[in-house]
Amino acid sequence: MHVATETVYKLAHLKNWSNCRPFNGPALAVIGHPIAHSLSPVMHNAALVELTKAHPRFAEWHYFKFDIAPEELKEALDLFHQNNFLGLNLTVPHKALVMEYLDLSIQHKFLREIGAANTLKRTNKGWHGKNTDRFGLSSALHNELHVDLNGKDVILLGAGGAARAAAIECLHNECASLWIGNRSDPALVILLSDLKKSGSLASTTQLEKFSLDNPPPNLPARAVVINATSLGLKPSDKSPLNLVNIPTPAQVFDMIYRPQQTALLRQASEMKIPNANGLSMLVHQGAASLEWWIKEPQQVIHAPVEIMQRAVRAALN
Ligand code: NDP
């Protein structure tokens, strides 16, 4: 039986999981710090209920949320493994930190290039990592804004874990140009250097960096603007980029979905620029994680994307 519990578990619970666990079936979890706001449990537990209709074995599965501080990550990963958790999602601040605890020789091929994992799957030896944010972004751009990144000029805001995944996805899809703007320079310099070394950079793609405070006049017109900064998470946050100061974009996508309309998206709407928030990305990265966890050797089981989307929308309203 699935209950979309909003309980936030901690490391102390994990240390005593056999006594704390409310269900005995296979367990999945999202871990972050903070984590209370996460909609992943609502989304995944709704998906598991739906999957149970055709596959009764999922009736006993449950998805939890854990508040794990960065200094607790290693111990928590070992305990999740000992307690037979089948899969984990990672969110701020763990996506890059987790890389040092994965055996990179067996990891998914783009993981090293991105340098950040949002999904782990249990193996007998440890954790196998993957980044499904890339797929989530492409799916959301396609479904919400009819954008295919191939041949597009992209202005990407941010240089954190989500921006790294977005940048690799843009390069992998051979965008015409990728302009990455960030608040501070150090992370941006490292990202550009990593991307130049990456096998995903096609010789036809122009790669540039800029400061968010001082966007250059030669940014491309009709670009796809993607916000991968966390500026906008608070309703009072200003926009990371004033769209009036750059050539008018063709589309604006904000990875943030709560609040549903950030200052950036509000301005895009006022300027009549097609725009979308990160809800569809959340759902599609989640669907890709779930399909990876439940995959069987002879059968791909599709995640119920519509049900997941509906569950998240209901939780937001
Ligand atoms: P990180 O902490 O790794 O990166 C944060 C980024 O935001 C950095 O580039 C940082 O710049 C920038 N930033 C933070 N505060 C400010 C500020 N006040 N002004 C300007 N820039 C700022 O986070 P993630 O990359 O993991 O996540 C980024 C965003 O994407 C979050 O809002 C997250 O919720 C969202 N996200 C959404 C997903 C979805 O499915 N919809 C999936 C993944 C992420 P600096 O380097 O200068 O510190």
Side-chain angles (χ1 to χ4, degrees):
M1 201 239 290
H2 303 286
V3 179
T5 170
E6 282 301 293
T7 307
V8 175
Y9 292 92
K10 298 191 178 228
L11 186 67
H13 297 109
L14 200 51
K15 286 179 178 168
N16 190 19
W17 189 240
S18 52
N19 289 325
C20 294
R21 61 183 310 161
F23 308 100
N24 285 324
L28 304 164
V30 59
I31 66 177
H33 186 67
I35 197 65
H37 66 284
S38 173
L39 296 178
S40 292
V42 165
M43 177 172 81
H44 282 285
N45 284 320
L48 290 168
V49 170
E50 181 64 18
L51 286 174
T52 299
K53 293 177 185 167
H55 309 275
R57 70 184 174 97
F58 293 116
E60 298 303 318
W61 288 49
H62 196 78
Y63 188 107
F64 299 90
K65 66 172 129 181
F66 278 80
D67 193 319
I68 301 292
E71 61 278 12
E72 298 170 337
L73 180 60
K74 173 74 176 88
E75 186 180 3
L77 288 176
D78 291 344
L79 287 167
F80 280 120
H81 197 270
Q82 284 163 27
N83 283 297
N84 286 316
F85 277 68
L86 298 186
L88 300 173
N89 280 134
L90 302 148
T91 185
V92 178
H94 298 309
K95 289 184 191 183
L97 297 175
V98 79
M99 294 294 287
E100 69 173 290
Y101 306 124
L102 303 177
D103 174 0
L104 289 181
S105 63
I106 60 155
Q107 302 304 328
H108 194 259
K109 77 178 195 201
F110 292 110
L111 200 68
R112 252 170 301 169
E113 285 186 299
I114 296 171
N118 73 331
T119 310
L120 304 186
K121 181 171 172 166
R122 190 181 193 283
T123 69
N124 287 341
K125 289 190 195 148
W127 294 104
H128 188 173
K130 193 168 180 172
N131 193 307
T132 65
D133 284 339
R134 282 183 52 207
F135 171 77
L137 174 65
S138 268
S139 304
L141 289 174
H142 178 78
N143 292 343
E144 303 296 310
L145 296 170
H146 312 293
V147 167
D148 170 0
L149 289 166
N150 183 264
K152 294 288 187 309
D153 294 307
V154 179
I155 300 173
L156 175 62
L157 317 179
R164 293 184 79 93
I168 290 291
E169 187 63 4
C170 291
L171 297 185
H172 182 69
N173 282 286
E174 296 190 18
C175 60
S177 70
L178 176 59
W179 298 72
I180 309 180
N182 199 42
R183 169 180 61 176
S184 53
D185 206 41
L188 191 51
V189 169
I190 294 169
L191 175 55
L192 263 281
S193 152
D194 289 350
L195 292 176
K196 282 181 181 151
K197 284 186 254 163
S198 120
S200 295
L201 178 57
S203 56
T204 47
T205 299
Q206 182 188 355
L207 182 60
E208 307 282 350
K209 72 179 177 76
F210 68 95
S211 161
L212 281 180
D213 286 340
N214 193 16
N218 57 336
L219 282 175
R222 308 283 308 151
V224 184
V225 170
I226 300 172
N227 179 35
T229 76
S230 39
L231 189 59
L233 281 174
K234 285 189 243 121
S236 58
D237 277 351
K238 67 182 178 84
S239 171
L241 184 69
N242 187 342
L243 298 176
V244 172
N245 293 340
I246 65 167
T248 307
Q251 294 92 6
V252 177
F253 181 81
D254 199 327
M255 291 193 186
I256 293 170
Y257 54 85
R258 197 182 222 174
Q260 295 185 61
Q261 192 181 48
T262 57
L264 176 69
L265 294 189
R266 205 160 32 249
Q267 188 183 33
S269 290
E270 283 160 10
M271 293 171 71
K272 311 247 179 305
I273 302 168
N275 62 84
N277 70 21
L279 194 135
S280 176
M281 178 175 172
L282 172 78
V283 170
H284 284 94
Q285 63 77 30
S289 298
L290 185 60
E291 286 179 2
W292 191 43
W293 293 324
I294 65 179
K295 196 164 105 179
E296 290 176 349
Q298 308 301 335
Q299 191 190 12
V300 175
I301 301 175
H302 292 290
V305 172
E306 287 287 317
I307 297 287
M308 295 166 83
Q309 191 125 2
R310 226 179 290 157
V312 173
R313 274 194 211 288
L316 280 173
N317 289 325

